[in-house]
C-alpha cells in the first residue's frame, strides 16, 4: 500500500524518526511533529503526553561513560543539566546517597539506567522509561525503600509539603546541600532568627516547624527543646526523601539530654 507524501517547499527535509511511513514534511512543521512523536508512547496510548523534552542529569557514573552518554543525549536532541532542580530524568547505575540522587527522588519524574539513553539512540526515538527504572535490590533492601514505589508516591505530592525546617550550623550534609534536598521535596527552610522568633510565641499560637541538627550543636538546640520544638538528626530528612514518607516519630535527637533531672532518675 502506498503512503502519501507531503510536498516540501524548501530544500531542507526531515524524516519521521522511527516511523515506517518516512513522511517528508516542510521544515516549519516538522519540529512540532517531532515533539508530538517524542511525547507519544505507542505501546501505551492512554498515557498523558509529555509536554517537554527530557532534561537529563547524571550521578554516580564513571567520567568516561559520562562523556559517551553526553554525546548520545545531543543526538537525541535532549538537554543535559548539572542542576537537579531543572532535571526531569536522573541517570545512574545504582542507588547513591548523593545530593543529586536524594533531591531527584522528589524532583525527577524518572530515575533510570544508562540503558535508556542507549536504547533511545539505537531506535532513534524517545522510548517509554518504565522498563528502565533503576532496580538496585541490594541497596533497596538495606535502605528499606523501593525506587519505583517512591517515585510513584512523589508524583502524588511532595514529601515535605507544608513542612518548615531550621537547619543548625554543623548539620551534615551541610545546610546548603540539605536546603536543596528539602526544597526539592517541597519544604521550606527558615533562618535561625525566624526560628528564635517563633519560640517566643506560645505553643498554641506558634506556626509549627522542626529543627534538624547534630550533637555538635547541642547548646543551641536546648532552647528549642525546652520550648517543645521537636529536634531531629539529618536522617529525618534523608530517610523521608528516599521513602517519600515523613516519619515524625523516628530519628529524634537529644530526647534524653534535656529532660528534667527528676525525670532522668525515674
Amino acid at each position: 500500500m502506498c503512503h502519501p507524501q507531503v510536498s516540501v517547499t524548501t530544500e531542507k527535509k526531515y524524516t519521521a524518526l522511527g516511523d515506517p511511513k518516512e513522511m517528508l514534511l516542510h521544515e516549519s512543521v516538522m519540529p512540532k511533529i517531532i515533539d508530538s512523536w517524542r511525547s507519544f508512547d505507542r505501546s501505551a496510548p492512554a498515557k498523558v503526553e509529555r509536554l517537554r523534552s527530557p532534561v537529563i542529569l547524571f550521578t554516580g557514573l564513571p567520567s568516561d561513560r559520562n562523556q559517551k552518554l553526553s554525546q548520545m543525549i545531543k543526538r537525541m536532541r535532549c538537554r543535559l543539566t548539572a542542576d537537579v532542580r531543572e532535571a526531569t530524568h536522573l541517570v545512574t547505575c545504582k542507588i547513591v546517597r548523593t545530593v543529586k540522587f536524594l533531591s531527584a527522588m522528589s524532583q525527577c519524574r524518572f530515575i533510570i539506567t544508562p540503558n535508556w539513553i542507549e536504547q533511545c539512540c539505537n531506535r532513534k526515538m524517545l522510548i517509554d522509561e518504565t522498563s528502565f527504572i533503576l532496580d538496585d535490590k541490594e541497596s533497596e533492601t538495606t535502605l528499606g525503600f523501593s525506587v519505583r514505589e517512591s517515585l510513584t508516591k512523589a508524583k502524588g505530592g511532595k514529601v515535605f509539603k507544608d513542612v518548615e525546617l531550621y537547619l543548625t550550623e554543623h548539620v551534615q550534609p551541610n545546610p546548603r546541600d540539605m536546603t536543596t534536598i528539602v526544597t526539592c521535596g517541597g519544604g521550606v527552610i527558615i533562618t535561625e532568627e525566624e526560628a528564635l522568633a517563633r519560640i517566643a510565641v506560645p505553643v498554641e499560637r506558634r506556626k509549627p516547624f522542626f529543627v534538624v541538627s547534630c550533637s555538635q550543636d547541642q547548646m543551641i538546640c536546648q532552647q528549642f527543646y525546652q520550648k517543645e520544638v521537636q529536634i531531629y538528626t539529618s536522617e529525618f530528612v534523608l530517610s523521608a526523601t528516599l521513602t517519600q514518607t515523613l516519619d515524625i516519630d523516628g530519628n529524634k535527637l537529644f530526647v534524653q539530654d534535656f529532660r528534667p533531672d527528676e525525670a532522668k532518675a525515674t
Side-chain angles (χ1 to χ4, degrees), residues 11-143:
E11 294 181 357
K12 192 169 184 178
K13 299 181 180 180
Y14 296 82
T15 59
L17 299 179
D19 191 290
K21 297 180 181 179
E22 291 294 318
M23 295 173 63
L24 300 179
L25 300 175
H26 188 280
E27 64 176 321
S28 65
V29 177
M30 193 58 202
K32 296 180 181 179
I33 302 299
I34 289 178
D35 286 341
S36 176
W37 282 330
R38 285 175 172 169
S39 65
F40 186 74
D41 175 10
R42 292 173 176 79
S43 66
K47 290 185 178 180
V48 177
E49 292 188 357
R50 186 180 291 119
L51 298 179
R52 58 177 175 146
S53 295
V55 181
I56 299 171
L57 174 72
F58 295 153
T59 192
L61 298 178
S63 58
D64 58 337
R65 195 164 194 191
N66 272 4
Q67 294 174 359
K68 293 178 181 178
L69 292 172
S70 297
Q71 293 301 316
M72 292 181 182
I73 289 173
K74 289 181 180 179
R75 295 201 296 272
M76 292 163 57
R77 298 179 184 176
C78 297
R79 184 160 67 89
L80 187 63
T81 184
D83 186 352
V84 67
R85 289 166 292 192
E86 62 181 20
T88 60
H89 292 57
L90 178 75
V91 176
T92 187
C93 291
K94 59 183 179 180
I95 294 171
V96 284
R97 296 219 309 180
T98 61
V99 175
K100 289 179 180 179
F101 188 96
L102 292 164
S103 302
M105 288 300 304
S106 303
Q107 175 68 28
C108 292
R109 296 179 60 204
F110 302 101
I111 296 180
I112 48 181
T113 65
N115 194 34
W116 177 75
I117 297 176
E118 295 162 353
Q119 291 299 315
C120 286
C121 284
N122 289 341
R123 295 177 60 178
K124 298 182 180 179
M125 61 183 295
L126 296 182
I127 60 178
D128 181 66
E129 296 92 340
T130 306
S131 299
F132 301 91
I133 298 295
L134 178 66
D135 186 14
D136 183 355
K137 293 299 184 187
E138 182 177 352
S139 295
E140 288 177 322
T141 299
T142 300
L143 295 171

